[in-house]
Amino acid sequence: MASTSKVGSSGDEEAEEEEELEHFDDFTLASSWERFISEIEAVCRQWLANGPKNLLEKGAVHLDSSKNIYKVKSELKYLMKSYGMEYYFEVNKSGKVTGWDDIFHDLQLCFGVKEFLVIAPQSASGVVLDAPEASKLLSAAAIALSNCSSLWPAFVPVHDPSRNAYIGIQNLGTVFTRRFEADRICSQVPVKLMHLEGLYELFVSKFAYSTLDISMHLFKVRFTMKLTYQTLPYDDDDGIREVDAENIESSDDHGGDTSNKTQWDDDCPWSEWYSAEDPIKGFALVAIWSEKMVQSSLEMAELENTSPHEAEKWILFEFLVYSVNSVYGGFCVSWSFLFMLFKVSLIYFSFWFVAVENPSSDNLKSSMVIPSPAVLDRVLKDLFHEGVQLPDFAKGEHKSSRYIKGAPLECLFAQFCLHLLWFGNCNIRAIAALWIEFVREIRWYWEESQSLPKMPFNGSIDLSTCLIYQKLQMLAICIEKKRELNEDFQDCVGSKDQSPASVEEDDRVVEGSTGLQIPDNNFGRKRDSLLTAEGLHESGMAIPGYNRQPENTGSTDKKPSDCIRRGSTGAVGSMMLLKSCQSMRAPFTQEAPLMTEDMHEERLRAIEAFGGSFDFSAQLEREILSSDMSAFKAANPDAVFEDFIRWHSPGDWENDESKGSAPSGILAVDGLKNDWPPRGRLSQRMSEHGNLWRKIWNNAPALPASEQKPLLDPNREGEKILHYLETLRPHQLLEQMVCTAFRASADTLNQTNFGSLKQMTAKIDQLYPTLASTLRPLQANNISGNSETIEDLRRLCAVFEHVEKLLTLAASLHRKFLHAPRLSEAIFSDYYKYYLPKMGMGSEEVDSQKEFEMKLQVRNHERQVISNMFTPPTANQSWRKVLSMGNLLNGHEPILREIIFTINDHVNGSHYATHTPSVHQEEIETYRMYICGTSNDLRVALSVTSFD
């Protein structure tokens, strides 16, 4: 048994040895590296077959940093590692990379390629830290591309990610190969490489013999340069200018940029209410030197001392405009508070005075605080005590401003509404407190008979405005009337030394009157100066006529003194009285009493309630009719009722045509005696029995307008207005506040000077009709808390914010490019197109993350304007660095310098020569170096073409 087992074990060992001898390496099978190359080749062949257009349809990703570059990606595996291969391509191929003003990918600028591959590990760093691994990846890509007959260059990121380093290779399809290498120095840049001379020698050292003295030899090197300058942010610049104000002397105009103001918008109309953030924080200027031939380092040293004005091209770009989604700090900030408050006021009417009288109420939030008394006093002082002269109410008013039923910008109520937008964050307690103090102040002006500030005190009531403004305007007129009556009364009391003759004359005038209070004649004539004989003539009621001696009508016995004409403005053309052959005289009459909109509506409702009867209308106008009739009787002592109708209401006098009389009291000059008395009769409504007009005529005393009781009782009307203001409901106040605040804000912005920007002008013209149509329902006083108007107001706030943002940008551009209007118009036009979809008015899909980008070439005559915006640095500016680079612009060194050195060589007659006829006369780019950086950061990318 033992021997048997031993024999068996030895047999197994021999079998294993035979199996080992049967295994051998089969080199016809692909290795893992060869399979990796095959995978790269398969992906590249697929991308080549699809082409750019098909790749776009299959989901190629657009690069945000470029307008025309897309990429596709594929994942690969090799030796348990994952790699990503990306193919970058352009849809519209334009050959070689040329021109600085195009937007390229970083590798395109570095190496001058158009489409390329990048192979990188799928790791956190995304770079290959192992040099052999990087070489192996690059070799695999080169073999795969060669098998595909593709000329794409391939790159592999290496070293630390902060160095942004690459190695690459490209098969040029003949016997040439290009190799690429890029690296970066992040700190401690050698002094020599800070200057153009040292950078030139660095490039020449790559192809010149090391034993040569480069400074003593000439090399035909092609050179082009791009310098980028960045303005100091204007907010910081303003602070620096303020500190160094004593060191700044007067200089030339800086393109509209004010250097002595601490805020950029100090002269803008909205600066009284808020300071807007400058939408343009700064901009970048690119100066480009086109390609030129340089032969020595001495030329480079001279080029470093040249001014940027000698550059062939200037381009403005990177306008640092505020983000579309940023919160803007203008009028629109307070609209949200006022909007919510208005919505609440529609539901809770009783919350108004409770908010002030009971500040400890549980319903009040801690955020609803009333500003300090000092702030309240400052607001009231600004409203009532500053500005003695009456403001120009047409100032800043847009042609469509009156479509909004608010109040003029410069008036008292409009200024109150604007102050309220910034008072205590526009909460209900703050509004209630300010309104109560506002009304108390108005009552003081009334009781002290002081003229109401910022309100017109003459003329008619403007019914196109809101009711509060109408009431305040009427109160201002009542105060002036009250002051005049008080002055007249004081004059009457103080005049004790009248002569007996004047006393007798006064007694004779007063005799027969009703014993009413009689103001002096001057007061009456000032008040009634609108109705003169000239005014009547303009209306067609007067023609030249004759004066005749007064005659007694015979109807009643009158004293001779009673027949004296009083309060007459002159003859009414050739019209004659019916009962005496005397010319008719037009009297001075009182102005019709002023009425606000609610008084007119009340009168119309009363007329409608009584069916619009003629007698009821006359009853409503009884005081006016009685005053006119009394004045007519005083001017025409012998007149009868028919004479008054012929003068006051010619339509109610029917001429007797059968007897050939002249029209309604108008006589020809010839044959005057033969045509008297005028022939005709009263109309049917005036001849009816019990006509109210005749009753009023019979009871009206003969008093001139100067001796009548004023139709407008200023004391009664003034108290009624104050009662209205003191008992106004919250929602009624807020309705008028919203309309007035919108109108005043729009009128304030309308005063902004933004040059000839057509889009901005059109936008403002569109704003006013939008405001008018949206705010019109607020005038109906029937808005409920669930009304669609609330949502309309919310959208209106958003529209106003958009317009305010655009207007602020337009004003900033106008000031900065005052002497280069083409630039401001071009910038605003491009930004308007970019911003329009954000306003919900464009057809494009909105990308809120996309930033505004544009490039604008500066013309030669505009360069000085741009240059002056780079104000020379001062000694106190902490941001000033040690200048270590040349090409200064008003003392500012470039924030970025980019240079491209190239050298070309003909294939024929050089060590690149080949026997291939197709490349016999070709000139190829043998060396290319791209240099980018500053004095503290330098990146160099080198590409070398070699003959393999």
Side-chain angles (χ1 to χ4, degrees):
M1 295 291 294
S3 61
T4 305
S5 61
K6 187 175 182 180
V7 173
S9 61
S10 62
D12 293 337
E13 291 177 0
E14 292 177 359
E16 290 178 1
E17 290 178 0
E18 290 178 358
E19 290 179 0
E20 291 179 1
L21 292 175
E22 290 177 358
H23 286 86
F24 58 91
D25 293 332
D26 187 359
F27 291 98
T28 61
L29 298 178
S31 65
S32 58
W33 186 63
E34 290 174 329
R35 287 193 296 270
F36 181 59
I37 295 175
S38 179
E39 290 180 17
I40 297 176
E41 181 180 346
V43 174
C44 292
R45 287 184 183 275
Q46 184 179 1
W47 287 344
L48 283 170
N50 287 330
K53 294 184 179 179
N54 291 331
L55 289 177
L56 287 178
E57 296 177 358
K58 293 182 178 181
V61 180
H62 178 257
L63 298 185
D64 295 334
S65 60
S66 176
K67 295 180 180 179
N68 196 35
I69 298 181
Y70 298 81
K71 73 173 182 178
V72 290
K73 185 176 181 180
S74 179
E75 293 185 2
L76 306 171
K77 286 187 177 182
Y78 173 63
L79 296 180
M80 305 302 292
K81 288 187 177 181
S82 296
Y83 296 93
M85 184 171 65
E86 296 177 336
Y87 169 49
Y88 294 82
F89 64 94
E90 294 186 0
V91 177
N92 300 320
K93 298 182 180 180
S94 57
K96 186 180 178 181
V97 174
T98 57
W100 288 106
D101 54 341
D102 295 328
I103 299 178
F104 298 122
H105 186 273
D106 177 58
L107 294 180
Q108 288 180 317
L109 275 178
C110 286
F111 302 113
V113 297
K114 294 294 288 185
E115 49 187 357
F116 54 91
L117 290 177
V118 176
I119 301 179
Q122 300 278 39
S123 61
S125 63
V127 297
V128 180
L129 301 178
D130 184 41
E133 180 185 358
S135 300
K136 202 168 187 178
L137 280 176
L138 198 60
S139 299
I143 295 172
L145 291 173
S146 178
N147 295 338
C148 297
S149 299
S150 173
L151 302 181
W152 295 344
F155 299 97
V156 175
V158 295
H159 304 306
D160 185 81
S162 62
R163 293 171 61 176
N164 203 11
Y166 287 88
I167 60 173
I169 192 170
Q170 180 184 17
N171 179 17
L172 297 181
T174 56
V175 292
F176 301 106
T177 301
R178 294 181 71 186
R179 288 177 173 81
F180 308 97
E181 185 177 359
D183 207 343
R184 178 185 176 194
I185 302 175
C186 300
S187 61
Q188 297 181 355
V189 177
V191 177
K192 184 176 182 180
L193 299 182
M194 295 180 185
H195 301 281
L196 296 181
E197 182 180 0
L199 296 175
Y200 170 81
E201 293 179 357
L202 174 65
F203 173 68
V204 173
S205 66
K206 299 300 179 181
F207 59 86
Y209 292 107
S210 58
T211 57
L212 291 179
D213 185 1
I214 297 176
S215 61
M216 300 301 295
H217 288 75
L218 301 180
F219 303 93
K220 293 184 178 181
V221 176
R222 300 178 187 270
F223 162 83
T224 179
M225 182 170 63
K226 172 184 174 182
L227 300 180
T228 303
Y229 299 88
Q230 178 72 57
T231 59
L232 188 69
Y234 287 107
D235 291 344
D236 298 339
D237 195 21
D238 291 337
I240 292 169
R241 290 172 181 172
E242 185 178 2
V243 172
D244 298 332
E246 65 275 7
N247 299 327
I248 299 178
E249 298 179 355
S250 59
S251 58
D252 296 338
D253 185 74
H254 286 185
D257 188 19
T258 55
S259 59
N260 294 325
K261 295 182 181 295
T262 57
Q263 298 294 335
W264 76 274
D265 60 346
D266 279 351
D267 57 344
C268 292
W270 62 74
S271 60
E272 181 182 356
W273 307 104
Y274 65 90
S275 179
E277 182 182 3
D278 193 343
I280 301 180
K281 295 299 182 182
F283 60 89
L285 171 67
V286 170
I288 298 177
W289 277 260
S290 60
E291 188 175 85
K292 61 185 300 184
M293 189 71 70
V294 179
Q295 297 185 359
S296 67
S297 57
L298 182 61
E299 291 185 37
M300 297 301 298
E302 293 177 355
L303 187 61
E304 186 172 325
N305 295 324
T306 59
S307 169
H309 286 272
E310 299 183 16
E312 281 74 15
K313 187 181 294 185
W314 275 23
I315 298 175
L316 283 177
F317 76 107
E318 283 190 5
F319 297 92
L320 305 180
V321 185
Y322 46 47
S323 174
V324 176
N325 298 323
S326 62
V327 178
Y328 181 73
F331 285 115
C332 54
V333 171
S334 300
W335 290 125
S336 57
F337 299 105
L338 188 60
F339 165 75
M340 293 302 299
L341 184 59
F342 173 67
K343 186 176 180 180
V344 171
S345 69
L346 295 175
I347 305 174
Y348 304 104
F349 299 116
S350 61
F351 193 58
W352 183 251
F353 294 102
V354 176
V356 178
E357 303 299 337
N358 187 19
S360 61
S361 174
D362 295 337
N363 296 328
L364 297 180
K365 297 181 179 180
S366 59
S367 60
M368 293 185 180
V369 295
I370 302 177
S372 64
V375 176
L376 182 61
D377 292 342
R378 185 168 63 248
V379 172
L380 293 175
K381 180 180 179 181
D382 183 72
L383 286 173
F384 289 96
H385 304 298
E386 293 187 1
V388 179
Q389 296 182 352
L390 192 66
D392 181 12
F393 294 103
K395 178 183 177 182
E397 193 173 80
H398 191 269
K399 60 183 179 181
S400 303
S401 181
R402 298 180 69 84
Y403 296 154
I404 306 171
K405 200 171 182 63
L409 172 61
E410 299 296 331
C411 77
L412 182 62
F413 183 60
Q415 295 296 303
F416 167 82
C417 293
L418 290 178
H419 273 290
L420 201 56
L421 293 177
W422 315 101
F423 189 75
N425 290 332
C426 208
N427 67 75
I428 191 168
R429 292 188 62 203
I431 292 180
L434 185 57
W435 174 252
I436 291 173
E437 293 300 324
F438 178 75
V439 175
R440 286 175 181 171
E441 196 75 15
I442 291 176
R443 176 168 283 282
W444 181 89
Y445 277 87
W446 163 253
E447 292 176 351
E448 298 297 326
S449 298
Q450 299 294 321
S451 297
L452 201 58
K454 303 176 183 177
M455 290 302 299
F457 50 81
N458 50 24
S460 59
I461 302 298
D462 188 356
L463 299 180
S464 66
T465 58
C466 65
L467 186 56
I468 293 179
Y469 174 81
Q470 297 178 36
K471 295 290 185 182
L472 292 177
Q473 184 183 3
M474 189 168 181
L475 182 63
I477 296 174
C478 289
I479 292 175
E480 292 303 313
K481 298 289 186 183
K482 182 180 176 182
R483 289 179 59 186
E484 291 176 354
L485 289 176
N486 293 338
E487 292 173 359
D488 294 339
F489 178 75
Q490 295 296 330
D491 292 342
C492 291
V493 173
S495 57
K496 301 292 186 179
D497 54 347
Q498 293 185 353
S499 63
S502 62
V503 173
E504 291 179 1
E505 183 178 357
D506 290 342
D507 292 341
R508 185 173 63 252
V509 171
V510 174
E511 185 178 355
S513 67
T514 58
L516 301 176
Q517 182 181 1
I518 305 173
D520 67 35
N521 291 337
N522 292 333
F523 173 73
R525 291 186 182 275
K526 284 191 289 184
R527 181 172 62 251
D528 305 325
S529 59
L530 295 179
L531 289 178
T532 61
E534 296 176 357
L536 292 172
H537 176 70
E538 292 176 358
S539 63
M541 296 176 59
I543 60 175
Y546 298 94
N547 294 329
R548 301 183 63 87
Q549 296 296 328
E551 296 181 5
N552 198 330
T553 60
S555 59
T556 57
D557 295 334
K558 295 181 181 286
K559 299 179 182 179
S561 61
D562 292 335
C563 296
I564 299 175
R565 299 181 185 272
R566 294 179 297 169
S568 171
T569 65
V572 185
S574 59
M575 294 180 67
M576 308 295 292
L577 299 178
L578 291 174
K579 300 302 181 181
S580 63
C581 190
Q582 297 180 7
S583 60
M584 184 183 294
R585 301 282 178 167
F588 283 109
T589 59
Q590 294 193 61
E591 294 178 358
L594 300 174
M595 290 191 295
T596 57
E597 185 178 15
D598 59 334
M599 298 169 67
H600 281 287
E601 292 176 353
E602 182 180 357
R603 177 162 295 195
L604 290 176
R605 286 194 296 268
I607 294 175
E608 292 175 357
F610 285 87
S613 64
F614 173 70
D615 286 345
F616 183 74
S617 300
Q619 185 67 34
L620 292 177
E621 304 290 339
R622 184 185 186 94
E623 293 184 357
I624 302 175
L625 279 174
S626 179
S627 174
D628 291 347
M629 290 176 177
S630 296
F632 188 81
K633 283 184 177 181
N636 302 279
D638 297 330
V640 293
F641 176 68
E642 287 78 2
D643 292 323
F644 176 77
I645 295 300
R646 293 167 56 213
W647 170 73
H648 190 277
S649 182
D652 287 310
W653 177 259
E654 299 175 357
N655 294 319
D656 190 356
E657 300 293 343
S658 60
K659 297 184 179 181
S661 63
S664 185
I666 300 178
L667 302 176
V669 176
D670 298 334
L672 183 62
K673 295 182 179 180
N674 296 332
D675 292 336
W676 185 87
R679 298 174 180 86
R681 60 184 178 275
L682 293 175
S683 64
Q684 181 179 358
R685 68 171 187 168
M686 287 296 179
S687 58
E688 291 177 353
H689 179 71
N691 180 268
L692 185 59
W693 281 48
R694 187 178 291 275
K695 291 181 180 179
I696 298 175
W697 169 267
N698 293 335
N699 296 328
L703 285 176
S706 59
E707 300 177 12
Q708 297 175 14
K709 178 184 177 180
L711 293 177
L712 175 66
D713 186 349
N715 293 289
R716 181 186 63 185
E717 296 299 331
E719 289 295 335
K720 288 170 64 177
I721 293 171
L722 288 171
H723 176 74
Y724 167 82
L725 297 176
E726 291 169 346
T727 59
L728 190 62
R729 289 289 186 89
H731 71 283
Q732 294 174 341
L733 171 63
L734 289 172
E735 286 171 0
Q736 300 180 62
M737 276 180 50
V738 169
C739 294
T740 300
F742 266 113
R743 172 176 170 175
S745 301
D747 285 341
T748 300
L749 298 180
N750 185 51
Q751 301 178 25
T752 306
N753 184 10
F754 51 80
S756 57
L757 301 178
K758 297 180 180 179
Q759 297 96 331
M760 194 69 251
T761 302
K763 205 64 187 173
I764 292 179
D765 291 342
Q766 294 171 6
L767 176 63
Y768 280 90
T770 303
L771 290 173
S773 60
T774 306
L775 298 174
R776 189 172 293 115
L778 271 66
Q779 306 166 18
N781 296 328
N782 58 357
I783 302 176
S784 63
N786 297 325
S787 173
E788 293 181 0
T789 305
I790 299 297
E791 188 60 30
D792 292 340
L793 288 176
R794 191 191 304 274
R795 288 192 291 266
L796 183 62
C797 293
V799 171
F800 196 94
E801 180 180 1
H802 291 312
V803 175
E804 197 169 2
K805 282 184 177 181
L806 288 174
L807 189 64
T808 307
L809 175 62
S812 180
L813 287 173
H814 177 66
R815 281 156 177 73
K816 292 174 176 59
F817 299 99
L818 184 62
H819 297 292
R822 185 191 69 88
L823 296 178
S824 62
E825 293 174 8
I827 296 170
F828 185 82
S829 178
D830 281 8
Y831 186 82
Y832 185 81
K833 294 176 182 177
Y834 156 80
Y835 191 75
L836 200 61
K838 280 70 177 176
M839 302 173 62
M841 303 179 64
S843 58
E844 302 177 0
E845 295 183 0
V846 178
D847 183 7
S848 59
Q849 302 300 324
K850 184 179 180 181
E851 298 294 336
F852 172 66
E853 296 178 356
M854 75 162 293
K855 290 188 175 182
L856 185 63
Q857 185 168 348
V858 181
R859 297 176 181 174
N860 290 335
H861 67 278
E862 299 167 336
R863 289 191 178 187
Q864 190 59 42
V865 176
I866 305 302
S867 176
N868 288 334
M869 292 183 183
F870 290 84
T871 55
T874 62
N876 293 335
Q877 293 177 351
S878 60
W879 54 269
R880 184 180 180 184
K881 301 178 181 179
V882 178
L883 300 179
S884 54
M885 300 170 62
N887 306 112
L888 302 181
L889 179 60
N890 290 348
H892 295 260
E893 68 172 349
I895 62 169
L896 184 66
R897 177 171 61 189
E898 298 175 81
I899 301 172
I900 295 178
F901 291 111
T902 59
I903 187 168
N904 295 0
D905 200 349
H906 289 280
V907 174
N908 186 26
S910 70
H911 64 279
Y912 293 99
T914 179
H915 298 289
T916 306
S918 59
V919 295
H920 186 67
Q921 298 296 331
E922 183 181 357
E923 186 181 64
I924 62 173
E925 184 181 84
T926 55
Y927 290 87
R928 183 185 190 275
M929 179 178 286
Y930 169 77
I931 302 171
C932 173
T934 63
S935 58
N936 299 320
D937 188 355
L938 185 65
R939 187 183 184 198
V940 179
L942 178 66
S943 63
V944 180
T945 304
S946 61
F947 173 74
D948 296 336

